[in-house]
Amino acid sequence: MNIGESAAGIFSWLAAAIVMVGLPVIILSSQNDKLQQTNWQQLTTELVTEVANTGELTQDRVAAYESALSASGVAVDIEMEIKVLDENPGKKTTQANYTKYGENTYYSIYDTQVDDLLSKDGKIRMNEGWIFIVKAKNASPTLAQDLDLVGSNDTYTYSAQASATVTTNAGY
């Protein structure tokens, strides 16, 4: 056997090993991403639905949600927003008709403010008509992103978003 034949044989065995081991790893990691995406969406929807039905967001519930998402093995970026219904039917408008009542409006409490309120009181009580919004995405690459040889790894793979209107008065 000469050197050319042995080099071709080694290359053939190496190529076969890559196909037999590497391809299944890539396929399985891609399927895992799809399953985790579904799981993240379900967890996010459950959190939002629970808060909408009870009118209360607790620090413990947020910690459990973060922990459940982190179980996927990637860093998590979570954004929460609460749209507070400002019901002030006696608010005057700046139009010429000074007897006209204003419309209800919403103002937003964003992520850092939500964190501050939770750390202060341990919970946020909401009123009927408020809107609770949660967005989550992975902040570190997944295995499928690391193994992706042709794609771009600068985007997130897992993402979930849910929002609901609070249906009960629990608060202020």
Side-chain angles (χ1 to χ4, degrees):
M1 189 186 306
N2 64 28
I3 295 177
E5 291 175 2
S6 63
I10 291 172
F11 179 74
S12 297
W13 282 103
L14 184 59
I18 289 173
V19 168
M20 291 177 64
V21 175
L23 190 59
V25 169
I26 292 170
I27 291 170
L28 288 175
S29 64
S30 176
Q31 290 298 325
N32 183 53
D33 279 2
K34 290 176 185 175
L35 289 172
Q36 288 299 333
Q37 168 63 36
T38 303
N39 185 42
W40 276 39
Q41 186 61 51
Q42 180 182 356
L43 290 168
T44 304
T45 302
E46 287 173 2
L47 171 68
V48 169
T49 302
E50 179 183 323
V51 170
N53 291 336
T54 62
E56 190 171 272
L57 176 65
T58 64
Q59 198 168 17
D60 292 338
R61 183 63 179 109
V62 171
Y65 172 69
E66 288 178 9
S67 176
L69 293 183
S70 296
S72 62
V74 296
V76 179
D77 180 20
I78 299 171
E79 297 176 12
M80 293 186 186
E81 179 183 354
I82 300 171
K83 290 186 178 273
V84 179
L85 179 61
D86 183 14
E87 292 184 285
N88 190 359
K91 194 185 316 180
K92 304 290 186 212
T93 65
T94 58
Q95 298 174 355
N97 184 359
Y98 64 90
T99 60
K100 183 177 180 181
Y101 288 102
E103 295 180 6
N104 294 337
T105 59
Y106 285 94
Y107 65 90
S108 292
I109 299 173
Y110 292 103
D111 197 40
T112 54
Q113 296 162 317
V114 171
D115 291 342
D116 291 344
L117 289 171
L118 283 174
S119 64
K120 179 181 173 186
D121 297 332
K123 61 184 157 186
I124 298 173
R125 292 188 176 118
M126 301 179 204
N127 288 328
E128 185 176 358
W130 292 18
I131 300 172
F132 181 57
I133 303 166
V134 176
K135 298 175 187 175
K137 61 183 178 181
N138 63 304
S140 63
T142 65
L143 179 60
Q145 284 177 304
D146 287 339
L147 294 175
D148 190 3
L149 302 175
V150 293
S152 171
N153 289 340
D154 59 351
T155 60
Y156 53 87
T157 298
Y158 307 154
S159 66
Q161 179 175 342
S163 65
T165 303
V166 176
T167 58
T168 185
N169 282 330
Y172 310 105

